[in-house]
Amino acid sequence: MTGLLVVTAVPAEAEAVRAGLTDPTVTVRPVGVGPAVAGAATARLLALAEATGHPFRAVVSAGIGGGFAGRAPVGGTVLGTRSVAADLGAESPEGFIPIDELGMPPEWLGGGPSVDADPGLLADLRQALPAATVGAVLTVTTVTGTAASTLALADRHHDAVAEAMEGYGVAVAATQAGLPFVELRTVSNPIGPRDRDTWRMREAFAALTEAARALG
């Protein structure tokens, strides 16, 4: 995918992606953890590229994340149909209220509380990665760590298959720049109570390298 910018949270993810690439025009950059720094850093990379006369053609948020049990297997690959700001909203006695139900116009949110993947990019990756699980990827600022919060997220987002911490921020930066966007994740652990015995980091990084072959 010529002219592609792939952003990851940390250098280890960037190295795993680079290990699977053959196209020298694909740029991979680690931009930091969480939607704020990821969005700001991505926006800066896009602006600098445009200023030098070599703009990027599209943006991919890539890395590892947690998968919802029964929806995305540990060690598997996930393609996001949309990236969702899952914990942006308000608490209430009746439960969590998503930001779009608080009466704020979509333009205050960079287009809305979720950003759809570009249909063309998503279709290309689905063809190249036919075994990947496809669904919404939730962006959270606090990693889900209890059975109750996992159930609540799954109930609020019936199409969600995974969660991570950067996708929505990167998606907003790409959207503001008028560029196609998609999120690609590999699953290192099931979402829920933190049990490191169930984590498969090595398998997730290996899967990320393999999935990166679809990027060029």
Side-chain angles (χ1 to χ4, degrees):
M1 295 184 178
T2 303
L4 191 66
L5 172 64
V6 182
V7 295
T8 69
V10 299
E13 292 169 321
E15 291 168 8
V17 171
R18 291 189 187 108
L21 295 175
T22 58
D23 185 346
T25 71
V26 176
T27 299
V28 185
R29 295 286 185 271
V31 294
V33 176
V37 67
T42 300
R44 182 174 184 273
L45 288 169
L46 296 177
L48 288 173
E50 186 172 359
T52 59
H54 299 90
F56 291 106
R57 184 182 65 81
V59 182
V60 177
S61 176
I64 63 174
F68 283 97
R71 300 185 184 180
V74 173
T77 298
V78 165
L79 298 174
T81 54
R82 61 192 184 108
S83 298
V84 184
D87 54 10
L88 187 61
E91 290 186 326
S92 79
E94 291 74 34
F96 180 79
I97 304 174
I99 192 70
D100 55 330
E101 295 181 14
L102 295 176
M104 297 183 185
E107 58 267 24
W108 289 8
L109 307 173
S114 70
V115 177
D116 290 339
D118 177 76
L121 279 179
L122 182 59
D124 287 346
L125 288 177
R126 291 187 71 170
Q127 184 174 6
L129 300 167
T133 300
V134 181
V137 179
L138 307 184
T139 298
V140 295
T141 53
T142 300
V143 173
T144 305
T146 69
S149 55
T150 301
L151 180 60
L153 273 181
D155 284 346
R156 285 205 306 271
H157 304 282
H158 296 289
D159 61 336
V161 294
E163 75 169 20
M165 302 183 77
E166 295 79 34
Y168 178 75
V170 177
V172 170
T175 300
Q176 293 289 313
L179 293 177
F181 164 84
V182 72
E183 186 167 1
L184 183 156
R185 297 281 169 184
T186 56
V187 178
S188 60
N189 58 277
I191 298 170
R194 292 174 65 80
D195 179 4
R196 286 186 174 270
D197 289 339
T198 66
W199 292 14
R200 299 291 182 267
M201 302 295 289
R202 183 177 298 177
E203 290 90 336
F205 280 119
L208 187 58
T209 294
E210 187 62 30
R213 301 186 195 284
L215 301 176

